[in-house]
Amino acid sequence: MIKDARAAYFSQLITKTKENPRVLLSTINRIISPTVPAIPVFSSSLTGFSPILLQRVRDIRSGIVSFPNFSTNDFLHQPLLLDNFAPVSLQDLHNIVHSMPSSTCSLDILPTSFLKNIFHVIGPCLVSIINISLETGSVPVYFKKALVQPLLKKPKLDPSIPES
């Protein structure tokens, strides 16, 4: 069902732009070759990037206020308990999804505008995933992916060096 909806969505995009060859080619190119972040993503070297980030957090915290007997490592490894929460309703999720901007991340399986179009089909499933995650305190591994795009301090610095 999702494959059909996705095919219909892309077909509609192509049909809309068929009168303008330049826009049509641009649309087809975006479909078959999604944009790649301009700044390299350090997915394979996160172990090298993580200590730099943690040290910066420590430096910022030490400059703001002193935390007696507090270690960042202790805080990062504490389990988070969800003792009390209100389950998410389908209407709540509908309101959130439809108020989101239509921009899309390269990790997204579905473009945001497409998600909005098919929400009436997959909304109940999404609500179930969210509520089960809240009840169990566990999030599916697939949803734990993130795209970290470090910003360069100065444009002339080398983006392949995490300290930049």
Side-chain angles (χ1 to χ4, degrees):
M1 179 180 270
I2 291 180
K3 275 186 178 181
D4 294 338
R6 187 177 171 127
Y9 171 78
F10 288 129
S11 177
Q12 178 188 9
L13 270 179
I14 292 169
T15 303
K16 273 196 222 174
T17 59
K18 70 180 179 183
E19 300 298 322
N20 188 337
R22 185 183 311 179
V23 176
L24 176 61
L25 287 174
S26 173
T27 302
I28 292 172
N29 190 35
R30 280 194 328 246
I31 291 170
I32 61 175
S33 302
T35 57
V36 177
I39 298 173
V41 178
F42 302 103
S43 60
S44 61
S45 63
L46 280 179
T47 54
F49 184 68
S50 183
I52 295 166
L53 183 61
L54 287 174
Q55 185 56 48
R56 290 208 177 142
V57 169
R58 286 185 194 108
D59 292 345
I60 290 169
R61 284 185 177 159
S62 68
I64 295 173
V65 66
S66 173
F67 292 101
N69 301 322
F70 178 79
S71 165
T72 304
N73 288 333
D74 292 339
F75 175 74
L76 292 175
H77 298 293
Q78 291 293 325
L80 298 175
L81 300 176
L82 300 172
D83 295 335
N84 188 1
F85 74 95
V88 176
S89 72
L90 184 59
Q91 186 60 47
D92 290 339
L93 188 57
H94 176 273
N95 294 342
I96 291 168
V97 167
H98 284 83
S99 68
M100 293 180 350
S102 292
S103 58
T104 299
C105 170
S106 60
L107 291 178
D108 292 344
I109 296 172
L110 303 172
T112 306
S113 57
F114 181 57
L115 173 63
K116 290 178 181 182
N117 289 339
I118 64 165
F119 183 81
H120 64 282
V121 176
I122 64 172
C125 182
L126 294 175
V127 168
S128 294
I129 292 170
I130 291 168
N131 286 330
I132 290 170
S133 293
L134 290 171
E135 288 170 5
T136 62
S138 175
V139 177
V141 174
Y142 185 81
F143 296 130
K144 293 181 181 181
K145 293 183 181 180
L147 179 64
V148 177
Q149 289 184 306
L151 300 176
L152 291 175
K153 294 176 190 172
K154 297 177 184 172
K156 294 180 181 178
L157 294 176
D158 183 359
S160 64
I161 301 172
E163 289 84 2
S164 297

